[in-house]
Amino acid sequence: MLGLMQSQPLLISSLIDFAERHHGDAEIVSRRVEGDIHRYTWRDVAVRSRQVAHALDTLNLAPSDRVATLAWNGYRHLELYFGVSGSGRVLHTINPRLHPDQIVWIANHAEDQVLCFDMSFLPIIQAVHARCTTVKTWVALCDADKLPADTGIPGLLSYEAWIGGRPTQYIWPSFDENSASSMCYTSGTTGNPKAALYSHRSTILHAYAAALPDVMCLSARDAILPVVPMFHVNAWGIPYSAALVGAKLVFPGPALDGKSVYELLETERVTYAAGVPTVWQMLLGHMKPAGLRFSTLRRTVIGGSACPPAMINTFNHTYGVEVLHAWGMTEMSPLGTLCTLKNKHLSMSEADKMKIRLKQGRAIYGVDMKIVGEDGAEQPWDGKAYGDLYVKGPWIVREYFKGEGGHPLVDGWFPTGDVATIDPDGYMQITDRSKDVIKSGGEWISSIDIENIAVAHPAVAMAACIGVRHPKWDERPIVAIVKKPGAEVTREELLRFYEGKTAKWQIPDDVVFVDAIPLGATGKMQKMKLREQLSDYKLPNT
Amino acid sequence: MLGLMQSQPLLISSLIDFAERHHGDAEIVSRRVEGDIHRYTWRDVAVRSRQVAHALDTLNLAPSDRVATLAWNGYRHLELYFGVSGSGRVLHTINPRLHPDQIVWIANHAEDQVLCFDMSFLPIIQAVHARCTTVKTWVALCDADKLPADTGIPGLLSYEAWIGGRPTQYIWPSFDENSASSMCYTSGTTGNPKAALYSHRSTILHAYAAALPDVMCLSARDAILPVVPMFHVNAWGIPYSAALVGAKLVFPGPALDGKSVYELLETERVTYAAGVPTVWQMLLGHMKPAGLRFSTLRRTVIGGSACPPAMINTFNHTYGVEVLHAWGMTEMSPLGTLCTLKNKHLSMSEADKMKIRLKQGRAIYGVDMKIVGEDGAEQPWDGKAYGDLYVKGPWIVREYFKGEGGHPLVDGWFPTGDVATIDPDGYMQITDRSKDVIKSGGEWISSIDIENIAVAHPAVAMAACIGVRHPKWDERPIVAIVKKPGAEVTREELLRFYEGKTAKWQIPDDVVFVDAIPLGATGKMQKMKLREQLSDYKLPNT
């Protein structure tokens, strides 16, 4: 027997309708590519996203055709989020930091029909447009009078001319909530990029979950600054969750330097910000010498990679800002775990709380997880046993677009490629990427642990630990080090620095000083490239 | 094109699985019918709800068969919430305050197969069981040795004997998320009771929404005391939302007096409580003379009926507890609006904030609302125009069980039977029930406004305003008054009390002193009965 509740598909269009109707005058503030500040409201987003839908309707697109963006966090990008998905097309956000050849590959693989880009990326588009064979319409996210006369891009439109003057009313189509809404390619370190294809249902469920008190804790009283890019996993779903709760949004545009971000945080009275450690490092780097403080910022969620303990401490104790660790993946929409405390932890000492805060956190309802050992057996949740981390839930991929990479699920679980422990309270801690873990004499050594110790040394700017073949132990760890400008440290000094901080057999066999560690498009260390660079390296005493 | 996310139905069983796995040791504390305190964890709830499922499996029930409860807020009731719905049956919570004849009617209409009841209700069951013709299994929620020898109820089982010793593992069935999960009859003031039939999908969506920061704001750091009964609209969905966030739950059982509730709030370090004004009145009545304070309570949501402004003030200013108005209906699972402030309100004066807090609040994402005038036209959101309130959303009924009451929806909107205004910020305020509003000379007078003024008089315990036929004005308001014990006030004094507090033409034509105002099973004033009692009444000067 079915229940007798109203049947209403979970559609992204209902988010913008809600934000317009119930939070119409809440502000959306953007630092534009041009450097100036643009300011309007959720009501304006709604009106203009409907104009986007009309503009798309004139292009004879098929339902679910892909509309791509190459854009910073800003108001026009936000309009595309709702106008493209709301009208039944698929929003394909492209990471502009990818190599132009990868952008071409991705645009062709996605069969993008339309590509909208910020003017900062005009040179990229000029370089790639002729090879993007499916794109019929190129739209520059600018005013009509800002469009250069001769860009070489045939039929290039300005966004404002494209949507301007179109009707402001539009009846959003209703369709199966499992329909594709948006897509994002993972910047795979091996093989071709693979795309997660999100649905309206998965997006709405994720939007509810992301706003929960134990997750990002978003309300109509918040002013949210997403530093996490809208071109990568939908800025952790913040555009959707902000509409769901009617929050103010503050977009930094391309200006992610410490000074610009700090200015926005203060002038717009931001209460909550989400980002990756590198941007926060720049922010703190700007604030510290000038003795600056936060007036309104209360909470920040840090993900993308593990946050150095020192940064968590600085935010918490020096600046009074709660730092929460988050963990997720492109394949997970992206949120999987958040590191918020439980009732039982509230009476703990600060030091004990800190031990918990260093973990990636506990699962959000909607996500389940397990760790599996080399023998395929599920590992206990004792905070010590580690294994390959698997996840499942309604906002996690079951396969990739066009079947790339085959069927990734194992008994219904998605293999994350991470190695982790889970403690008895359900707090998960990533110990390594499966492909980076060092297997020495039948035991696993976490490359991340080795790196964390190294970066705690005052002379070390960056550290990357990789495994090197060893005749007896199979693999042994070495650590590649980038020194801070002007700082000096010797191999021996660093190896001594490990003593007492980890088990003896886990101490790296060698230190290699390098000028730089190769980084990928999302700022992660590319250890595969590092291994290639060090392919001639030989361990001492072997 | 469909998205490629994992397909996973939204089922109630996944809530208890989640709570066990990720919050297994969070506490569930119950004051039992016997008066003592029972204490265990979400892990125990999970184990025992699986034993409930096994016990039900032995009864040869069809899928979606109804399993009824007549029970207080307590741990066994919680186990039934998950065991009954999780295993694919429909949980039918019956309000024990109904007249025994109504209980018989409801149990037969629902075709309940099993009925589980707290021992406090044994006399009711003894009076009705012979007439509940579909019930095959009677279960008393008690230990085996607490079951009286001769109750007269054939085959009566004790709950503990019924589930005891059954396997603790159970594979929850997977099925369509739109399947019926639970039902609740409205205590209709006219016609037969009608049942809302909730689905697994509507319950899960409501559970996400109810936990949002702008709604009940529930997290794993909370200890929640639901005074709102589990026998009525699922205690506002708190059992489900608490599992979703892994909160501690504190159940008051039958002891809703001020002393008992206060004790639990303090000893269990409750952070959040939800209830109706009458229970809070008793709580404050206990605390005030004794000079007691709250140590941990920070937030309370009050619904069911409008909260007197004086009570909001007392909680906020005397006790430092944030009081939020909520509004909902049995037909809405029940939450529709919550009165939390927006970012733009934060800089307002306390007095201006208070004006907002008196409203029923703004819609939660998932609920939309509109007000419609007598001519059927949608009314503006200006905080002044009023009209019949309509709602829609995925946790709102589209029709009642067995089609009782026909097809209530009008163009897809559910008519709430309330009259309301909505202000430009989306804050809704109930001005009256449609059937209680007084239509005087083409204008509407809110009976609630008239009552609120009367109860602000120190001699008035309770006030009910009804319309009486008038030859010229169609209807005119009169107010029925119950005086406080020992207090005195005259008709003339009360009528003078209205001067300056409302428009002259809205002042009641008369005051009628009564001993009591008839109350329904959920504590609401039954104005239809009052009108019957006053059927011989004639207005002065007519």
Side-chain angles (χ1 to χ4, degrees):
Chain A
M1 180 171 69
L2 298 184
L4 291 169
M5 309 310 278
Q6 295 180 19
S7 67
Q8 190 170 295
L10 304 174
L11 297 180
I12 288 173
S13 54
S14 72
L15 288 172
I16 190 64
D17 278 351
F18 178 83
E20 177 182 35
R21 203 165 155 83
H22 301 277
H23 300 276
D25 67 355
E27 276 187 310
I28 313 291
V29 178
S30 309
R31 189 188 297 276
R32 303 206 298 175
V33 172
E34 296 84 346
D36 61 337
I37 297 291
H38 176 272
R39 189 180 293 277
Y40 71 168
T41 66
W42 274 113
R43 189 170 293 117
D44 300 309
V45 181
V47 167
R48 287 167 51 96
S49 66
R50 293 193 291 262
Q51 292 181 307
V52 167
H54 278 293
L56 291 169
D57 281 358
T58 64
L59 298 181
N60 279 321
L61 302 179
S64 299
D65 263 355
R66 267 71 70 205
V67 175
T69 61
L70 202 74
W72 300 108
N73 290 7
Y75 65 104
R76 289 173 178 136
H77 207 173
L78 188 66
E79 295 160 10
L80 288 163
Y81 262 57
F82 293 104
V84 171
S85 301
S87 67
R89 284 87 188 197
V90 174
L91 180 80
H92 172 205
T93 52
I94 302 180
N95 187 338
R97 295 192 189 121
L98 292 173
H99 188 278
D101 290 347
Q102 281 181 298
I103 292 177
V104 169
W105 192 93
I106 280 175
N108 287 330
H109 188 263
E111 300 170 53
D112 294 332
Q113 302 292 306
V114 183
L115 199 154
C116 306
F117 61 91
D118 267 332
M119 286 303 278
S120 358
F121 306 122
L122 179 61
I124 299 180
I125 298 299
Q126 286 174 317
V128 303
H129 74 92
R131 289 181 287 156
C132 296
T133 53
T134 61
V135 178
K136 297 183 191 75
T137 309
W138 300 92
V139 180
L141 296 170
C142 66
D143 292 322
D145 60 1
K146 294 276 166 49
L147 207 59
D150 185 20
T151 59
I153 299 160
L156 178 63
L157 299 164
S158 87
Y159 180 79
E160 294 301 333
W162 185 48
I163 71 162
R166 300 204 184 264
T168 55
Q169 292 306 310
Y170 185 84
I171 294 170
W172 297 114
S174 184
F175 42 74
D176 185 342
E177 68 187 30
N178 292 299
S179 299
S181 62
S182 44
M183 71 197 300
C184 184
Y185 281 79
T186 61
S187 46
T189 44
T190 53
N192 285 325
K194 301 188 289 279
L197 189 66
Y198 311 112
S199 71
H200 285 259
R201 175 185 168 97
S202 71
T203 303
I204 300 288
L205 292 176
H206 184 271
Y208 268 125
L212 289 172
D214 271 340
V215 187
M216 294 199 279
C217 194
L218 306 181
S219 83
R221 286 171 302 293
D222 278 310
I224 305 169
L225 188 142
V227 167
V228 284
M230 291 170 74
F231 59 69
H232 187 61
V233 222
N234 310 319
W236 298 358
I238 287 174
Y240 306 117
S241 290
L244 187 147
V245 304
K248 172 177 175 173
L249 272 174
V250 183
F251 289 124
L256 299 180
D257 61 285
K259 181 168 179 292
S260 303
V261 170
Y262 179 76
E263 268 175 21
L264 270 188
L265 290 171
E266 285 300 300
T267 56
E268 299 306 326
R269 303 187 63 76
V270 168
T271 57
Y272 168 75
V276 291
T278 44
V279 172
W280 296 143
Q281 202 80 65
M282 291 192 288
L283 177 64
L284 295 179
H286 168 72
M287 293 175 67
K288 211 169 171 181
L292 301 171
R293 316 297 290 177
F294 296 116
S295 314
T296 55
L297 188 69
R298 290 291 165 265
R299 225 161 57 252
T300 177
V301 173
I302 294 189
S305 50
C307 182
M311 197 190 292
I312 298 186
N313 261 325
T314 304
F315 267 110
N316 274 359
H317 299 149
T318 310
Y319 294 104
V321 173
E322 190 185 17
V323 175
L324 302 174
H325 245 157
W327 171 82
M329 300 179 78
T330 303
E331 289 88 342
M332 297 176 73
S333 300
L335 295 174
T337 65
L338 255 288
C339 197
T340 47
L341 300 181
K342 294 184 174 186
N343 186 283
K344 62 192 258 188
H345 298 136
L346 297 181
S347 52
M348 277 183 170
S349 71
E350 268 307 306
D352 285 340
K353 284 181 188 168
M354 188 66 187
K355 281 182 202 151
I356 299 170
R357 289 206 181 96
L358 291 180
K359 304 188 176 193
Q360 269 63 45
R362 49 194 175 76
I364 306 161
Y365 170 72
V367 172
D368 200 2
M369 55 187 186
K370 65 174 181 180
I371 43 176
V372 172
E374 279 190 289
D375 56 355
E378 202 172 330
Q379 297 296 298
W381 290 20
D382 58 9
K384 289 177 196 125
Y386 46 77
D388 290 310
L389 179 66
Y390 286 78
V391 291
K392 68 175 175 183
W395 57 76
I396 298 170
V397 295
R398 67 166 186 269
E399 53 186 292
Y400 294 98
F401 184 54
K402 291 185 174 174
E404 291 285 335
H407 296 287
L409 300 198
V410 181
D411 293 333
W413 292 80
F414 178 79
T416 63
D418 283 316
V419 175
T421 61
I422 305 178
D423 72 19
D425 291 322
Y427 288 77
M428 183 273 287
Q429 186 161 26
I430 304 272
T431 57
D432 217 336
R433 292 289 296 167
S434 306
K435 58 182 172 26
D436 293 336
V437 76
I438 291 126
K439 291 172 184 172
S440 172
E443 294 285 343
W444 289 7
I445 298 173
S446 160
S447 66
I448 295 174
D449 286 351
I450 301 300
E451 289 155 9
N452 278 343
I453 295 171
V455 294
H457 189 284
V460 173
M462 208 180 251
C465 171
I466 58 172
V468 179
R469 284 260 147 247
H470 188 283
K472 181 172 175 194
W473 303 109
D474 295 334
E475 271 188 334
R476 286 296 301 158
I478 65 164
V479 60
I481 297 288
V482 181
K483 281 185 268 195
K484 282 191 186 157
E488 270 313 326
V489 62
T490 63
R491 172 185 181 278
E492 289 66 32
E493 204 179 328
L494 267 178
L495 289 178
R496 267 201 311 279
F497 189 66
Y498 275 92
E499 284 168 22
K501 297 194 176 73
T502 186
K504 224 170 180 120
W505 60 272
Q506 295 185 335
I507 295 178
D509 279 14
D510 199 6
V511 172
V512 180
F513 292 100
V514 294
D515 293 335
I517 287 162
L519 298 179
T522 57
K524 288 181 186 169
M525 295 193 291
Q526 295 195 299
K527 294 199 188 170
M528 204 173 55
K529 280 209 177 146
L530 181 67
R531 283 189 204 97
E532 282 167 22
Q533 287 175 16
L534 298 176
S535 57
D536 292 337
Y537 172 86
K538 255 188 73 81
L539 279 172
N541 313 322
T542 57
Chain B
M1 179 170 70
L2 298 184
L4 291 170
M5 309 310 279
Q6 294 180 19
S7 67
Q8 189 170 295
L10 304 174
L11 297 178
I12 288 173
S13 54
S14 71
L15 289 172
I16 190 64
D17 278 350
F18 179 82
E20 177 182 34
R21 201 163 156 85
H22 300 276
H23 300 276
D25 68 354
E27 275 186 311
I28 312 291
V29 179
S30 309
R31 190 188 296 276
R32 302 206 298 175
V33 172
E34 296 85 345
D36 61 338
I37 297 292
H38 176 272
R39 190 179 292 277
Y40 72 167
T41 65
W42 275 112
R43 190 170 292 119
D44 301 309
V45 181
V47 167
R48 285 166 52 97
S49 65
R50 293 193 290 262
Q51 291 180 306
V52 167
H54 278 292
L56 291 169
D57 281 358
T58 64
L59 298 180
N60 279 322
L61 302 179
S64 299
D65 263 355
R66 268 70 70 203
V67 175
T69 61
L70 202 74
W72 300 108
N73 290 7
Y75 66 104
R76 289 172 178 136
H77 207 173
L78 188 67
E79 295 160 10
L80 288 163
Y81 262 57
F82 294 103
V84 172
S85 302
S87 67
R89 285 87 188 197
V90 174
L91 179 80
H92 172 205
T93 52
I94 302 179
N95 186 338
R97 297 193 188 120
L98 293 173
H99 188 278
D101 290 348
Q102 280 182 298
I103 292 177
V104 170
W105 191 94
I106 280 173
N108 287 330
H109 188 264
E111 300 171 52
D112 294 330
Q113 302 292 305
V114 183
L115 199 153
C116 307
F117 60 91
D118 267 332
M119 286 304 278
S120 358
F121 306 123
L122 179 61
I124 300 180
I125 297 298
Q126 286 173 319
V128 303
H129 75 91
R131 289 182 287 155
C132 296
T133 52
T134 61
V135 177
K136 298 183 191 76
T137 309
W138 299 91
V139 180
L141 296 169
C142 67
D143 292 322
D145 60 2
K146 294 276 165 48
L147 207 59
D150 186 18
T151 59
I153 300 160
L156 178 62
L157 299 163
S158 87
Y159 179 79
E160 295 300 332
W162 186 47
I163 71 163
R166 299 203 184 265
T168 56
Q169 291 306 310
Y170 185 84
I171 294 170
W172 297 114
S174 184
F175 43 74
D176 184 343
E177 68 187 29
N178 292 298
S179 299
S181 63
S182 45
M183 70 197 302
C184 183
Y185 281 80
T186 62
S187 46
T189 45
T190 54
N192 285 324
K194 300 189 288 283
L197 189 67
Y198 311 112
S199 70
H200 285 259
R201 174 184 168 98
S202 71
T203 303
I204 300 289
L205 292 176
H206 185 272
Y208 269 125
L212 289 172
D214 271 339
V215 187
M216 295 199 279
C217 194
L218 307 180
S219 82
R221 284 170 303 293
D222 279 309
I224 305 170
L225 187 141
V227 167
V228 285
M230 291 169 73
F231 58 69
H232 188 60
V233 222
N234 311 319
W236 298 0
I238 287 174
Y240 306 118
S241 291
L244 186 146
V245 304
K248 172 176 176 174
L249 272 174
V250 182
F251 289 124
L256 300 181
D257 60 285
K259 182 167 178 292
S260 302
V261 170
Y262 179 77
E263 268 176 20
L264 270 188
L265 290 172
E266 286 299 302
T267 55
E268 299 305 328
R269 304 188 63 74
V270 168
T271 56
Y272 168 75
V276 291
T278 43
V279 172
W280 296 143
Q281 203 80 65
M282 292 192 288
L283 177 64
L284 295 178
H286 168 72
M287 292 175 68
K288 211 169 171 181
L292 300 171
R293 316 299 290 178
F294 296 116
S295 315
T296 55
L297 188 69
R298 290 291 166 264
R299 223 162 58 253
T300 176
V301 173
I302 293 190
S305 49
C307 181
M311 197 190 290
I312 298 185
N313 261 326
T314 305
F315 266 112
N316 274 358
H317 299 140
T318 311
Y319 294 104
V321 173
E322 188 184 18
V323 175
L324 302 174
H325 246 156
W327 170 82
M329 299 180 76
T330 303
E331 289 87 342
M332 298 177 72
S333 298
L335 294 174
T337 64
L338 255 288
C339 198
T340 46
L341 300 182
K342 294 183 174 187
N343 185 283
K344 63 193 259 184
H345 298 137
L346 296 182
S347 53
M348 277 185 170
S349 71
E350 267 309 304
D352 285 339
K353 283 181 187 167
M354 187 66 188
K355 281 182 202 151
I356 299 170
R357 289 207 181 95
L358 291 179
K359 303 188 178 195
Q360 270 64 46
R362 49 194 176 76
I364 306 161
Y365 171 72
V367 172
D368 200 3
M369 55 187 185
K370 66 174 181 180
I371 44 175
V372 172
E374 280 190 287
D375 57 356
E378 200 170 333
Q379 298 295 298
W381 289 21
D382 58 10
K384 290 175 194 126
Y386 45 78
D388 290 311
L389 179 66
Y390 287 78
V391 290
K392 68 174 176 184
W395 57 76
I396 298 170
V397 295
R398 66 166 187 268
E399 53 186 292
Y400 294 98
F401 184 55
K402 290 185 175 174
E404 290 286 335
H407 296 289
L409 300 198
V410 181
D411 292 335
W413 292 80
F414 178 80
T416 63
D418 282 316
V419 175
T421 60
I422 304 178
D423 72 19
D425 290 323
Y427 287 78
M428 185 273 288
Q429 186 161 28
I430 304 272
T431 58
D432 219 335
R433 290 290 296 169
S434 305
K435 59 182 170 28
D436 293 336
V437 76
I438 291 128
K439 291 171 185 175
S440 172
E443 294 285 344
W444 289 9
I445 299 172
S446 158
S447 66
I448 294 173
D449 286 351
I450 302 300
E451 290 155 9
N452 278 343
I453 295 171
V455 294
H457 190 283
V460 173
M462 207 180 250
C465 173
I466 58 172
V468 179
R469 285 261 146 246
H470 188 283
K472 181 172 174 192
W473 303 110
D474 296 333
E475 272 189 334
R476 285 296 300 158
I478 66 165
V479 60
I481 296 289
V482 181
K483 282 184 269 197
K484 282 191 186 157
E488 270 314 324
V489 62
T490 64
R491 171 185 182 279
E492 288 67 32
E493 205 179 325
L494 267 178
L495 290 178
R496 267 201 311 279
F497 189 67
Y498 275 92
E499 284 168 21
K501 297 195 175 73
T502 185
K504 228 179 177 109
W505 61 272
Q506 294 185 335
I507 295 177
D509 279 14
D510 201 5
V511 171
V512 181
F513 292 100
V514 295
D515 293 335
I517 287 164
L519 298 179
T522 57
K524 288 182 185 168
M525 295 194 291
Q526 294 197 299
K527 294 198 186 170
M528 203 172 56
K529 280 208 176 148
L530 181 67
R531 283 190 203 96
E532 282 167 22
Q533 286 175 16
L534 297 174
S535 58
D536 294 337
Y537 172 85
K538 255 187 74 78
L539 278 173
N541 312 321
T542 57

